[in-house]
Amino acid sequence: MSTLPVNPAPETDAAKRVLPSRPKAAALVALSFTLLLYLVELVDVILPGDLDQGGIQSRALSGLDGVLFAPVLHAGWSHLFANTVPVLVFSFLAMAAGIGRFALVTAIIWVVSGLGVWLVGPSDAVTVGASGLAFGWLAYLLVRGIFNRAAGQILVAVVLLGVWSGMLAGLLPGNPGVSWQGHLFGALAGVLAAWLTSRTGKSKKTAPAAPGNLGG
């Protein structure tokens, strides 16, 4: 009796996909999250209280839980409208490697961008909005092709950069009422997420194959 390594059947590298393999499911997730944002804003308008006060209050322990809630809160309909298309497009494209990978990327962006705002954001204001997520997903989409060495993803990044290059101005201070801290830390978190997930994918590829039995 002897053993030989089993050669797995070749399969498409999910990490290098440009579009989700299940586009309907990805679109449903993106739409569902966007509808959640609209539902929360509607509730905020109807109820007598102000849900936006549950956002991030920088360097205040009582405002730390705003890291969890800030991305689903918006300072009015115009704020939400401005975030809608980027949230829909970027979240859909970010699901190319699967919804599980998307959930991990989103969690990294959500927490890192929120903590960044809590640490360095203005202490006299409450920060809300999904733009930190949008910047994080965009940054993830811009650099994932470099880490994954995927020409298709790099091409998509070039297109996204051409269409949404104006968003990059939001990374700089100077626009009153705009949280450049949330945008900046969201973008940094997106780069971090792309790097971490690419390393995870590479470690799985280098794992030794399971041995198989050969009678003789």
Side-chain angles (χ1 to χ4, degrees), residues 86-184:
V87 164
L88 282 171
V89 175
F90 300 158
S91 63
F92 175 80
L93 292 175
M95 281 182 261
I99 294 178
R101 175 70 62 88
F102 169 74
L104 176 59
V105 168
T106 300
I108 293 172
I109 297 170
W110 196 302
V111 173
V112 172
S113 62
L115 289 177
V117 170
W118 187 81
L119 286 171
V120 303
S123 58
D124 59 347
V126 177
T127 302
V128 296
S131 55
L133 285 179
F135 271 86
W137 287 327
L138 177 59
Y140 168 78
L141 294 168
L142 291 178
V143 303
R144 63 175 179 170
I146 299 173
F147 292 123
N148 295 328
R149 299 180 182 178
Q153 292 180 348
I154 294 175
L155 179 60
V156 169
V158 171
V159 173
L160 290 174
L161 190 59
V163 175
W164 273 283
S165 58
M167 282 184 62
L168 300 182
L171 298 173
L172 302 174
N175 194 346
V178 175
S179 176
W180 63 269
Q181 298 95 336
H183 299 168
L184 177 60

Side-chain angles (χ1 to χ4, degrees), residues 168-213:
L168 300 182
L171 298 173
L172 302 174
N175 194 346
V178 175
S179 176
W180 63 269
Q181 298 95 336
H183 299 168
L184 177 60
F185 279 97
L188 293 175
V191 174
L192 175 64
W195 178 70
L196 289 175
T197 53
S198 68
R199 287 180 61 85
T200 301
K202 289 176 183 177
S203 64
K204 289 182 179 179
K205 288 180 185 178
T206 56
N213 293 325

